[in-house]
Amino acid sequence: MALENGKNNHFDKLESMGLEERVEFLNTRLKETAAYAYENSAATRAMFQKAGLKPELIRKVEDLERLPITRKADLIEMQKQNLPYGGFLMIPEENIERIFISPGPVYEPLHTSTIHWFGRSFWAAGFRKADVVINTFTYHLSPAGILFHEGLRDCGATPIASGTGHTEMQIKTIQELKVTAFVGTPSYLMSLFAKAEEMGLDVKKELNIKRAWFTGEMLTSSIRKTLEKDYGIDTYQAYGVTETGGCLAYECEEKNGLHLMSDEYVVEIVDPKTGKQLGEGEVGEVVVTPVNNKTWGLMRFGTGDLSCLKKEKCGCGRTAYKLSGIIGRVGDAVKVRGMFVVGKQAEEVFKLFPEIVRCQIRINRPENKDEMTFVCVHDDTEFDAKKLSDELNKKFQDRCLLKADHIEFVAANALAEETKLMLDERKWD
């Protein structure tokens, strides 16, 4: 059950354990997981053997670099070759409590309850016993609907198993059951509100939604601003991956990154090409190893999502490191001077400057040194090119950890409207 933790309102004591204690706790769980998975999962054992490793050589998070990364395409193929679970199941099949199916298909067996994983996320978002919550995630095949449902119950809230679709019925339900909170995607909540207004309803006065929790889709700053400023809704987001069975990271009231569920998972940020772990602030692929799962022996699962770690203290009192948020997918990023520049992340920076109509990032490599140039179309107003360049570069460096070597302002006809944002012109002869 959740607990009131003094000044800070935390779900359990694990959220505020000391950093040294957390590292020791996590490494202990990782060692136990490696040994158990090696013993009980044929697929994991084969992975270790192929890498020439014994499980006792995995003693701390840094040691995971020695294992290969398993991605969804690998998992799908392994299940095809060894139905139904690809050799990762670690319990007798008759002991499986639930089986979920995610696209692929990937069959995901569950035994022990995972409701507290999402319970923490909902608790951090302020969900409590008084809340009536409409859960618009599907209860069909995907684990999302039922896992969120049970996480809400673990906070004492009352979930409505609405699932997806039937927009007018959803609005009627929200009205008649006096729904106080929404669980779903940002775009679906926006479409519900648009439909409600089309029906002649005043959303702020006639609907009672006070908070919203999102996952499965990026919560953009513009949508968050609309929901919070125009509709008075307190918004939160979380990040989960179905193949690993639960919530990986979640937002607190500070809304400045997502706290890792670091007593349930080891989360690495790695170079997707080499599998090498990256440092704080460096953008790379999110790679996940569950360390509290005796059912599913999956280790080093590559999500394909791009993020970076934030290690500064959080005002909420939770001590787990944060993800900055999901800023793109592997393949959306270009590596410049050893750092990934992600298209969506760059777009967010350029949107801060409405006077820049279009922009293209061009990457070249003169004299074997990466060089990045911003080619920008400015609107018709007068401007100080140096001042704007300095401001743009500062914002870009704050977000992407790199500066442009050159910033050029060009006429509108120099960049077509459909211009590709990032153009990698490097030659690797």
Side-chain angles (χ1 to χ4, degrees), residues 44 46-48 50-53 64-71 74 268 274-275 287 289 299-302:
T44 306
M47 181 192 306
F48 272 85
K50 188 174 181 179
L53 292 176
L64 282 170
E65 284 187 338
R66 306 172 73 175
L67 285 172
I69 293 173
T70 300
R71 294 189 167 83
D74 303 318
E268 306 167 78
T274 66
V287 172
T289 298
M299 296 185 70
R300 280 207 113 195
F301 180 74

Side-chain angles (χ1 to χ4, degrees), residues 162-359:
S162 70
T164 56
H166 308 290
T167 304
E168 290 191 17
M169 187 188 74
Q170 301 268 23
I171 294 167
K172 183 179 176 66
T173 299
I174 290 169
Q175 275 189 293
E176 295 186 346
L177 293 181
K178 295 180 171 56
V179 167
T180 62
F182 170 91
V183 168
T185 63
S187 61
Y188 189 55
L189 182 56
M190 292 296 289
S191 70
L192 280 178
F193 285 173
K195 184 64 175 178
E197 289 168 345
E198 183 184 308
M199 293 164 61
L201 297 175
D202 184 321
V203 169
K204 285 189 73 172
K205 291 181 179 179
E206 297 181 70
L207 301 184
N208 195 40
I209 295 177
K210 304 301 182 190
R211 70 185 70 255
W213 181 97
F214 303 119
T215 193
E217 182 181 287
M218 187 178 294
L219 174 60
T220 64
S221 56
S222 60
I223 289 181
R224 168 167 266 175
K225 183 178 179 181
T226 297
L227 290 170
E228 296 201 345
K229 300 295 184 185
D230 297 349
Y231 293 107
I233 293 174
D234 198 12
T235 62
Y236 292 84
Q237 55 188 325
Y239 171 55
V241 177
T242 58
E243 291 80 9
T244 60
C247 181
L248 300 181
Y250 57 97
E251 210 168 34
C252 67
E253 63 266 26
E254 298 292 321
K255 302 182 184 180
N256 182 28
L258 291 81
H259 287 284
L260 292 171
M261 195 79 71
S262 59
D263 53 291
E264 302 290 346
Y265 301 98
V266 169
V267 176
E268 306 167 78
I269 303 297
V270 310
D271 184 319
K273 291 185 178 178
T274 66
K276 296 296 182 183
Q277 295 168 2
L278 301 174
E280 180 181 4
E282 294 186 75
V283 174
E285 182 179 8
V286 179
V287 172
V288 183
T289 298
V291 291
N292 190 26
N293 190 329
K294 296 296 177 69
T295 303
W296 190 229
L298 191 60
M299 296 185 70
R300 280 207 113 195
F301 180 74
T303 65
D305 294 319
L306 294 171
S307 188
C308 62
L309 280 178
K310 302 173 70 171
K311 296 185 178 181
E312 75 268 17
K313 275 184 149 182
C314 185
C316 74
R318 293 174 178 84
T319 56
Y321 294 151
K322 295 178 183 177
L323 293 179
S324 64
I326 303 306
I327 56 180
R329 293 282 295 173
V330 172
D332 297 338
V334 176
K335 205 168 194 179
V336 182
R337 298 196 291 273
M339 304 290 288
F340 282 107
V341 177
V342 186
K344 287 183 180 177
Q345 195 177 26
E347 282 178 355
E348 288 295 312
V349 176
F350 294 128
K351 285 178 182 177
L352 297 174
F353 299 88
E355 64 270 37
I356 296 177
V357 179
R358 283 188 294 283
C359 190

